[in-house]
Amino acid sequence: EVITVAELARKMNLKASEIIQKLMDLGVTATINDSLDSDTATLVAQEFNCQVTVRSLKNEVEIHETEDRPEDLKPRIPVVTIMGHVDHGKTKLLDAIRHSNVAEHESGGITQHIGAYKVKTPRGEITFLDTPGHEAFTAMRARGAHVTDIVVLVVSAVEGVMPQTIEALNHAKAAQVPIIVAVNKIDLPEASIDRVKQQLSEQGLLPEEWGGDTMYIPVSALKKIGIEELLEAILLQAEMMELKANPNKPGVGYVVESKMDIGRGAVATVIVKNGSIRIGDYFVVGTTMGRVRGMFDDTGAKVSVAYPSYPVEIMGFDAVPEAGDKFHVVESEDFAKEIVAKRLELKRIEETNRIKKIQMENAFQSLSMENVKELKVIIKADVQGSVEAIKHSLLKIENPEVKISILHAAVGAVLESDVMLAEVSASQEGSAAIILAFRVRADAMAKERAEQQGVTIKRFNIIYEITDYIEGLLKNMQTVEY
Ligand code: GDP
């Protein structure tokens, strides 16, 4: 394995000159474009407290999933997350939907909160995540767990669009998940459905009846009006998306909730992404393993097979896994043990040899990377006027090679959810993301996460400094050569 000095420097977040200097100390003369053999690279990395053997181990801990042939794919039901501003009725709507469930009336079971539930409608089934809001949504996404197929954005027809409505909308957009709008509280006399449509049209959600492609469904979660129509809209959207999976292979899924249960031990709710999970299956989840000893749905009923998109509470974990962890059914207990042992080793290496991420004072460096085609910007500012002014000035910047897009712009401090949004957005091919904080600070959680994940939060007090900075950044992105 060979690596160039420049590449090694980039991987370790160091300047090439620092590596060259260290190589000289070791008696090796090299220039920035020279390749190093793996021994030399290891040696020099060790000098900086880094280890370069981690990568091969990283490949070994991945569980290989077989590719599905088109003929093996079967339709699967949609997984939905409800988002919206506080008090606009997310919880109430989740309740109303749950109680519309045909199956619930059939089984007469008592509803259990397991983090997700499945409803049966005359036209099909739908899985709902029971933790509403964009924080949980983006936290899962930041961990690579893409479970949501459709977002239902709840907006109160009385209050109209509010800051968190926009925030939720931007998180859903960044995830490229289609949005259906539920205009709630239409039972109240002050309700105005048209105002919501108007306000959201300005955000790019043009209603179908106005020539756009967003479905708006008027509902009252309280009076249970429009629930059936909403479920139908979801199924219609799902149909257009042609959601498919292969139920005839070992199950893969994501943990959405977990806990230690007295009597039952560690349990977790898993949403099946592909394949099926069966009683007796051995599995690996993060650095935990186990065997499926029991599976239950949200009415507490026993389940023997969990198919794609099904949420099930699973018993049989060795330890409590974390929300967002990936769940893999594996062929044997021995294999599960082997993977877990390797993952623990990797974790240990990563912890002891934690690559010292030098906190760049100059964000130019931490952001300079190859092939950036799009710079995604999150703006947090002191007042709405500043938000608008910054947006306006950024949109005026012209650059032939890098597109600037504003992911989210709002009043208030930089929050952890902003950092997560930057993180997941920057991980897309050809993208970089940055948070601009105008006369606001980042809260402690946001700061910590930004440092850990290498997300740049740049603070400003004067608007033109932002434009200068971004222009400089764009220039820099194109001229960086590795
Ligand atoms: P969340 O914060 O978005 O989860 O909102 P909740 O579901 O907790 O609802 C907030 C408040 O709005 C509660 O007092 C609900 O009873 C009320 N509410 C929710 N939906 C409706 C509705 O359709 N009509 C009316 N009149 N009130 C509603």
Side-chain angles (χ1 to χ4, degrees):
E1 226 184 23
V2 283
I3 186 166
T4 66
V5 170
E7 223 176 316
L8 188 63
R10 189 163 55 89
K11 290 208 164 125
M12 299 201 303
N13 258 337
L14 294 168
K15 289 200 181 103
S17 58
E18 291 176 87
I19 304 259
I20 292 168
Q21 183 59 51
K22 193 59 81 181
L23 281 167
M24 252 149 75
D25 296 346
L26 296 168
V28 180
T29 317
T31 67
I32 184 156
N33 293 318
D34 283 344
S35 291
L36 304 174
D37 59 31
S38 71
D39 283 351
T40 314
T42 308
L43 208 61
V44 89
Q46 272 169 359
E47 291 287 314
F48 289 102
N49 272 334
C50 297
Q51 201 150 342
V52 287
T53 55
V54 175
R55 197 208 207 135
S56 56
L57 195 57
K58 250 185 187 150
N59 291 333
E60 284 174 44
V61 302
E62 295 294 332
I63 296 174
H64 179 71
E65 286 165 43
T66 53
E67 287 239 357
D68 298 311
R69 291 173 305 176
E71 60 267 35
D72 295 332
L73 293 172
K74 302 265 159 16
R76 66 173 177 84
I77 68 175
V79 180
V80 177
T81 296
I82 294 192
M83 297 187 190
H85 194 77
V86 63
D87 278 348
H88 280 202
K90 297 182 291 295
T91 313
K92 207 87 190 155
L93 187 60
L94 275 164
D95 279 353
I97 291 167
R98 183 169 203 157
H99 294 301
S100 72
N101 193 356
V102 182
E104 187 185 83
H105 301 298
E106 283 169 1
S107 74
I110 305 156
T111 58
Q112 315 279 329
H113 176 88
I114 63 166
Y117 64 80
K118 186 156 67 70
V119 290
K120 200 168 163 188
T121 82
R123 300 191 40 183
E125 293 183 311
I126 306 169
T127 293
F128 283 88
L129 285 166
D130 214 353
T131 319
H134 57 270
E135 293 86 357
F137 172 82
T138 300
M140 292 278 286
R141 240 169 48 84
R143 306 209 46 209
H146 300 259
V147 291
T148 303
D149 298 306
I150 297 167
V151 162
V152 169
L153 183 64
V154 181
V155 188
S156 160
V158 177
E159 285 92 1
V161 168
M162 299 291 273
Q164 282 169 27
T165 313
I166 310 253
E167 198 163 319
L169 174 77
N170 288 333
H171 280 245
K173 269 194 201 159
Q176 294 176 325
V177 173
I179 299 166
I180 294 173
V181 182
V183 186
N184 192 28
K185 307 198 183 183
I186 55 156
D187 56 290
L188 295 171
E190 316 90 281
S192 167
I193 300 169
D194 269 357
R195 187 179 53 159
V196 173
K197 287 183 180 170
Q198 188 66 54
Q199 290 173 326
L200 285 180
S201 293
E202 286 164 21
Q203 304 292 330
L205 294 185
L206 198 63
E208 279 181 335
E209 51 279 22
W210 294 0
D213 51 18
T214 304
M215 290 190 265
Y216 281 70
I217 316 295
V219 298
S220 165
L222 188 72
K223 298 266 156 71
K224 301 195 169 49
I225 302 166
I227 306 299
E228 249 171 69
E229 287 79 358
L230 178 62
L231 297 179
E232 263 174 40
I234 292 169
L235 288 169
L236 193 68
Q237 176 66 45
E239 218 169 87
M240 290 191 288
M241 294 165 80
E242 297 184 28
L243 303 170
K244 288 195 172 135
N246 174 8
N248 296 310
K249 67 174 190 180
V252 177
Y254 290 103
V255 171
V256 294
E257 214 169 274
S258 60
K259 63 180 178 201
M260 184 53 92
D261 189 301
I262 308 161
R264 295 194 302 161
V267 293
T269 299
V270 172
I271 291 195
V272 184
K273 186 78 192 163
N274 204 353
S276 299
I277 304 175
R278 288 158 203 275
I279 298 282
D281 281 347
Y282 286 103
F283 61 79
V284 174
V285 185
T287 51
T288 302
M289 57 173 282
R291 187 174 192 188
V292 181
R293 307 243 172 242
M295 287 197 288
F296 305 90
D297 68 12
D298 62 286
T299 66
K302 279 189 183 156
V303 176
S304 54
V305 191
Y307 295 108
S309 302
Y310 280 30
V312 276
E313 190 176 50
I314 297 178
M315 253 173 75
F317 289 81
D318 283 356
V320 181
E322 274 178 57
D325 275 350
K326 201 165 187 184
F327 179 105
H328 279 275
V329 167
V330 294
E331 70 250 22
S332 69
E333 187 172 14
D334 284 347
F335 185 63
K337 279 186 181 155
E338 190 186 319
I339 293 280
V340 168
K342 279 184 183 157
R343 285 183 179 177
L344 286 170
E345 190 191 342
L346 178 64
K347 205 168 160 183
R348 194 180 47 77
I349 292 175
E350 281 177 342
E351 267 159 26
T352 46
N353 291 319
R354 174 155 296 161
I355 295 172
K356 240 199 315 181
K357 281 200 175 161
I358 295 169
Q359 207 41 45
M360 302 283 174
E361 251 202 282
N362 184 346
F364 286 80
Q365 275 163 308
S366 61
L367 264 172
S368 59
M369 48 177 99
E370 296 164 273
N371 302 326
V372 170
K373 298 268 176 293
E374 187 173 3
L375 176 65
K376 297 175 171 172
V377 180
I378 294 168
I379 302 165
K380 295 306 285 272
D382 53 345
V383 292
Q384 192 58 35
S386 309
V387 173
E388 295 307 324
I390 296 164
K391 260 163 94 174
H392 193 72
S393 61
L394 287 183
L395 293 175
K396 275 202 308 210
I397 297 178
E398 282 184 22
N399 189 291
E401 282 163 50
V402 183
K403 183 181 151 215
I404 299 181
S405 53
I406 296 167
L407 278 184
H408 179 54
V411 171
V414 178
L415 306 175
E416 197 184 8
S417 63
D418 297 318
V419 177
M420 290 191 291
L421 184 61
E423 213 176 295
V424 292
S425 306
S427 66
Q428 282 153 11
E429 179 85 19
S431 298
I434 185 168
I435 300 174
L436 305 177
F438 184 75
R439 295 189 186 147
V440 292
R441 294 172 170 277
D443 76 8
M445 304 258 280
K447 245 186 230 161
E448 194 186 319
R449 186 166 189 120
E451 258 165 47
Q452 278 170 3
Q453 303 292 330
V455 170
T456 303
I457 302 174
K458 189 85 183 149
R459 288 180 61 194
F460 297 92
N461 289 307
I462 306 167
I463 291 193
Y464 75 75
E465 282 179 349
I466 298 185
T467 1
D468 285 355
Y469 171 77
I470 295 289
E471 276 170 350
L473 200 58
L474 296 184
K475 220 186 267 161
N476 190 269
M477 280 175 174
Q478 292 156 41
T479 52
V480 171
E481 269 179 45
Y482 283 111

